[in-house]
Amino acid sequence: MPVAASAIYFLNLRGDVLINRLYRDDVGGNMVDAFRMHIMQTKELGTCPVRQIGGCSFFYMRISNVYIVIVVSSNANVACAFKFVVEAVSMFKSYFGGAFDEDAIRNNFVLIYELLDEIMDFGYPQNLSPEILKLYITQEGVRSPFSSKASDKPIPNATLQVTGAVGWRREGLVYKKNEVFLDIVESVNLLMSSKGSVLRCDVTGKILMKCFLSGMPDLKLGLNDKIGLEKESQMKSRPAKSGKTIELDDVTFHQCVNLTRFNSEKTVSFVPPDGEFELMKYRITEGVNLPFRVLPTIKELGRTRMEVNVKVKSVFGAKMFALGVVVKIPVPKQTAKTSFQVTSGRAKYNAAIDCLVWKIRKFPGQTEPTLSAEVELISTMAEKKSWTKPPIQMEFQVPMFTASGLRVRFLKVWEKSGYNTVEWVRYITKAGSYEIRC
Amino acid sequence: MAPPAQSQRSPSPSQPSGKSEVSDLKLQLRQLAGSRAPGVDDSKRELFKKVISYMTIGIDVSSLFGEMVMCSATSDIVLKKMCYLYVGNYAKVNPDLALLTINFLQRDCRDEDPMIRGLALRSLCSLRVANLVEYLVGPLGSGLKDSNSYVRMVAVMGVLKLYHISASTCIDADFPSILKHLMLHDSDTQVVANCLSALQEIWSAEASTSEEASREREALISKPVIYYLLNRIKEFSEWAQCLVLELVTKYVPSDSSEIFDIMNLLEDRLQHANGAVVLATIRVFLQLTLSMTDVHQQVYERIKAPLLTLVSSGSPEQSYAVLSHLHLLVMRAPYVFSSDYKHFYCQYNEPSYVKRLKLEMLTAVANESNTYEIVTELCEYAANVDIPIARESIRAVGKIALQQYDVNAIVDRLLQFLEMEKDYVTAEALVLVKDLLRKYPQWSHDCIAVVGNISSKNVQEPKAKAALIWMLGEYSQDMQDAPYVLESLVENWDEEHSAEVRLHLLTAVMKCFFKRPPETQSALGAALAAGIADFHQDVHDRALFYYRILRYNVSVAERVVNPPKQAVSVFADTQSSEIKDRIFDEFNSLSVLYQKPSYMFTDKEHRVPLEFADELGNLSIGEAANNVVPTQMVEENDKDLLLTTSEKEETKGSRNNGSAYTVPYDGSSTSVFASQAQIESAVSNPTLAGHSPQASFAIDDLLGLGIPATPAVPSPPQLKLNTKAALDPSTFQQKWRQLPVALSQEISVNPQGVAALTAPQALLRHMQSHSIHCIASGGQSPNFKFFFFAQKFEESSNYLVECVINTSSAKAQVKIKADDQNTSQDFSTLFESAFSKFGTS
C-alpha cells in the first residue's frame, strides 16, 4: 500500500497541535506526545525526517513555522508520503492565497478539515488537484469572506469532474481573449573550487504555463532540444535548421502531457489545465552557460586583519542585465570593523550571518565590478583556531537569459472553434545554490 | 477521528478556559435549533465554527452533542460538513449519543445531491462505533450502486472502514465480491483504485483464515487483472498509479516478451512529474528484470537520469528518501553512478541528513578513476563548520582508503588531518590511521612518525584514545617515548572513565613490555595493579589474566598477547547479503530508509508495547528480557538459514582472522576464548614453555596483591524454576491486582551490586540467568523499580515480585505474590540468594 497514513498532524514550533486528522485506529491517540517527547524536545529534531518510535514511523516536514507529521504503522512508501505532503501544502497555499503558516491554519481550520477529508480517505490519497477540489469544496479561504449565497450549491456536475477522463480540465470554459503565458524559469547550481575550477554545475529548469483558453484546446510545444529536432528533421526528411541545440539530461512532465506521443514523436502535446501549472521540468549538466564568474582573493594579514577582494564578471550579452544581484562573502565571527570600496552597488557587513553583503540592483552584461574590503578582527585568546571558510554565495536573476540555452521554437494551439490565441514567452535564470569556495 | 490533543500545553490568556464558554454555546445553539428566521444559517455557521475551533484546540465540547444534532437539520452544505466533522470526532466516546445521529445521516445518504450523499456516507462509516454497524450495511450497499462516482468512491472506502470495525458484518454482506465487480467494471478510475486498496487490505487480512480469500488475493495479481489495470494506467490519478505499480511488482510474467511489453508500456511513467510514480516504476523495472542480468544492467542505465533528477529536485525530505534508495542501488551496482559522483557533492546549506547520505554515496561510488576528486572534495568538508559532517567526511576518506588499493595520496591526506590540530579531526583521523595500519602495515613508518608527535593530552575521545594507545603498544619499538607516554597514562588510570581505553592500555603496556622490558616494567606493574583493582569486570578479568599468564611464563604470554599478525584484508561487513536482498525486495518503502527488512520494525513482537508502559506509569518495559532477544535470535536464525555453505565458510574465515588479530585489540569474549585455547596448547607442550630469563625477573614482585575472595552466599533451597518462563504483560497486571502480598521484606544490597546497578538492564540480565524474568523496569539512580516474575519448573505456578531498590541506602524493598502461597517462602530465599550474587558473579 502506497501510504495508508494513520494520522496527520499539523504542529506549531512549540509542539501544539494546530489541527489533526486520525484516519485509522491503528495508532494510539498519544502519538503526538511521542513525537514531541522523542523528536521535538531532543536534538534529534532536524537530524532525520523519518523516525521510528514504538512501532510507528513518523515522517515530518517543516514548512515555514509549521511541522507536518504523518504517522504510519506499516512499511509505507516514504517518497509517496513526502510527495503527498508537498502536494497538499501547495494545494493549501492555492486555497489560502499563497501563505501557509500557523496563522493561515488557525484562520482556515474548518476548510482544512474539509480538505483533509477529501484528499485522503482512510489513509489512501484521493484527489489532490486544486482545480478540481475548488469545484466542490465550497467554503472559501478567508481571502474572501462568506457570501451567504453563490457557493451554497456545488456547481452541477462538479462531482463528475472529480474523476473524469481529463481530470485536470473542466469543460465549457470561455474566455473573451485567448492567451497563453509561458515562463521558462531556470536555476543554476554551481560549486566552484577556490582555484576557479568548476566542481559541479547543473541547471534545473521548469516551464510554467498560464492558460486562459476557451474550450478543450490541444497544444503543441517545440523546443530546441537535440532529440526533438533530430526526430523532426527525420520525419520531414529535411535537415534541421541551423542553430544551437541542447541536450536535456532528464525531463518530467505534468500529467496532462501525452507521454506516448512524446516518446514516439518527441513533441510535447497536451490539453492544458485551466490557469497556472507547471508543464515540465528538466535537468541539464552539459554545456551550461554560467552567467557570472567570481574571482575572490581573501588574505589574512596577521591575526587581526583581513583583506578581501572580490571581482564578479558577468558573462552574458552586453545588452542584457541581471537584477537583484547579491554576493555574500563570509567573514569570521569575531569581525569588529569593516571598510569597503565598491565600483558598483552597495556593500555592508551583516553580523547576523557573518557575511559582507554586496548588493547590485542592476548588473549589465560584460562588466566586472569589484569589491575590496578591509576587515578588522577582535584578537581572541584561542590561538590557532583557524577559521573554516564557508563558500561565497550569490543570488541573482537574469531575465531573457537561459543558462541551458533552451529556447521555445513554437507553441501551437488548436481548438475546434479555431480561435486565435496570443502567446507570451519569457525566460529567466535564477541562482540556485551558487557557491564559490575561497 | 479521535479527540484532538487532550489539552493545550500552555494556554495563552486569550484562549477560553472552556466551561463557561461551552455552556454559553449550548444556550445559543438551543435557541437557534428550532428557528426558521432568515439568516439563521449564517449565525449557525458562526456558532458551529466556534465549536469546531474549541474542539481543535482541545477543549472538550462533547456536552454539546445533543444540541449539535438538533441543529443539523439544514440544507446548508457548509453547516452539514461542520456537523459531520463534530459527530465524527465525538461519536466514538459517546456511543449512546451517536445513535441520535444515525437517523439524519441515513436520511442524508438518500439526499438528491450526490455531494451530500457522499459526505453523509463517509461520516456514517467514520463513526467507528461497533454496535451501530447494522445501520451501515444498507447505505453502503446502495452507495456502491450509486449512479454518481463520487458516492461510489466514498462507499468503497466505507466498506474498508466497516471491515475494520466488524470484519464479519462486511464479509457476510458479501461486500468484497461487489468491490471486485466494481474494480473490474467501473468506469471511474478512482473508484477502481479505491476498490484495489480495499480488496488488498481485506484479502490480506482474511488470507490467514480463509482459503478462498488467499485465492482471491492471488487473483489480484493474475494476468487479466494486471493487464486490465495496466492498460488503463494513464487514466488513474498519480496516487492511484503508485498503487497499481505496486501491485504490478508482485506479478510474475510468464516469459520475457511479457516483461518487455510491460516495460515498454510503463517506460513513459519514468517521465512523470510525481517522484512517487517514478520510484514505483523503477521498482517494477528492477523487480521484473531480476533474473535477466543483461537487461537488469540496462535498467540501471535507464533509471539513472530520473533518479538523479529526483535527488536534485523537491524538498530535502524528498531527496533524503530518494538518496536512501540510490544508496541501496549503488551498493548493488557501484559502477552505475561512478561517473555521476559530482551529483553527490554537498551544498553548503543542505540539511545534515542529506549531506550524510551524500557522503555515503561518495564513498560507495569511489573507484580508481574518481578517487582523487572525491577525496579532494571530502577533505573540503573536513574543515566544515558542521562538526558531525566533518567527522563523517573524515570517516568517508578512511573508508575509501580501506577499499582502494592505491592509497598513497589518501594516507598523505589523513596525515594532514592529524596536523590540522582540531580535536575532533585528530580524533577521527587517529581511528582511521589505526584501521589503515591494520590493513596496510607497510605504511607504519610514515604514519608513526606523525602519530608520535600527537600529545596524548589533546586526545580525549575514548575511541581515538584507544586507537592512539593501540598504536603506542603495537609500534612501541619505533616510537621513542612510547613507554613514557604509556606510563603517564597509567598514572592517570583513575581519571580514565572509559573501560575500553583502560582495556587497551593494559594490552598496550603488555606489548610495550615485551619489546622494551626495562623501560616499561614499572608502568606494567602499576597498570596490572590498577587493573586488578578496577571495578569494571572486563578490565579486572583481563588484568588478572595477564598477571597470571606472566607469572606462568613470559614467552607464552608474549605469544598470546602479541603474536605475529596478518594484515586484515577485508573488514567484516555489518549486514549480510541476504538482509540486503530482502531490503531490495522491499524497494520504495521504509525498509530502505531504516536499512532493515520490514519484519524487523512492523511485526508486533519486535515492538515495544507503548500502552502497557503508560499504565505502569513511567516504567519502561523490560526490553532486555522481552524484545531485543527475540530480534537478535531471529536475525541469527535468518543468517544461519540463509547462508549458503560457501558464504558460511567465508564469514567464518574472516571472523577467525579478525578475532585472532583482535585478541590484543578489543578483548571481546570470543578472543579471550581463543587466547585461552592457545594457552592450553602451549601448556600441553612443555618443551616450548621455556622461561625467557631476561623478561622474567621479579615478575612476582610486581604485584603485592591477593585475589579478592568471592563473598559466601547462602545456598539456594530446593525450588526449581522454569528457565523459559513466559508471561504477557496484561496477565501480569491482572495477577498483580488479584493476588495478595504473600511476603514483604527488606533486603540489603551488597556494595558490588550497588556499583553494578548503573542501569536497570544490568540487574535484568543477572536475574534472568537465575530464571527470574523482568517484565517492567524503570527509574534512575539512586531509585530503581522492577517487576519480576518466575514460574515453577514444570508447573504453571507463578511468582510475581515488585522490587524497589535505593542504591544510596543499599536497600531493596521486595514484595512477593504467588499463585501457590505455600512455596512463597522458598521462592523468597531463592530470590534473595540470586539477588545477593548480583555484581559478584
Side-chain angles (χ1 to χ4, degrees), chain A residues 143-213:
Chain A
R143 252 187 323 150
S144 61
F146 275 123
S147 59
S148 59
K149 289 289 151 200
S151 60
D152 274 7
K153 284 269 171 187
I155 298 162
N157 255 346
T159 48
L160 275 182
Q161 290 295 337
V162 178
T163 48
V166 183
W168 53 85
R169 189 180 179 92
R170 68 190 148 99
E171 285 179 50
L173 289 165
V174 181
Y175 287 98
K176 213 180 257 171
K177 197 173 170 192
N178 290 297
E179 281 180 306
V180 185
F181 296 85
L182 212 52
D183 276 333
I184 288 94
V185 183
E186 297 196 336
S187 70
V188 206
N189 299 308
L190 169 76
L191 183 61
M192 198 178 261
S193 77
S194 51
K195 296 185 185 77
S197 59
V198 175
L199 293 173
R200 185 203 149 167
C201 168
D202 59 69
V203 172
T204 54
K206 52 188 171 187
I207 300 187
L208 301 174
M209 205 162 203
K210 222 187 265 180
C211 284
F212 303 109
L213 297 171

Side-chain angles (χ1 to χ4, degrees), chain B residues 155 251 275 308 513 586 633 673 691:
Chain B
Y251 174 63
L308 290 173
F513 172 73
E586 296 176 329
M633 270 158 45
F673 286 130
H691 280 247

Side-chain angles (χ1 to χ4, degrees), chain A residues 18 21 24-25 57 75-76 109 114 118 121 124 136 139 159 163 199 250-251 253 283 388 393 437, chain B residues 1 45 53 56 78 81 115 128 148 150 161 188 201 271 305 309 342 349 377 383 590-591 594:
Chain A
L18 299 173
R21 199 83 176 88
R24 284 169 170 253
D25 284 333
S57 292
N75 186 20
F109 61 93
E114 265 185 62
E118 292 298 334
D121 201 353
Y124 291 102
Y136 65 103
Q139 253 173 344
T159 48
T163 48
L199 293 173
D250 189 39
V251 203
F253 294 104
R283 186 169 55 84
T388 52
Q393 293 180 306
R437 292 188 179 143
Chain B
M1 193 198 308
R45 274 190 190 185
S53 86
T56 306
V78 179
K81 279 187 183 178
M115 194 78 208
R128 297 181 228 184
N148 190 292
Y150 181 78
K161 290 174 194 166
D188 188 287
E201 251 189 68
Q271 260 136 8
T309 305
K342 285 185 176 172
N349 291 327
E377 181 67 14
L590 269 175
S591 316
Y594 290 148

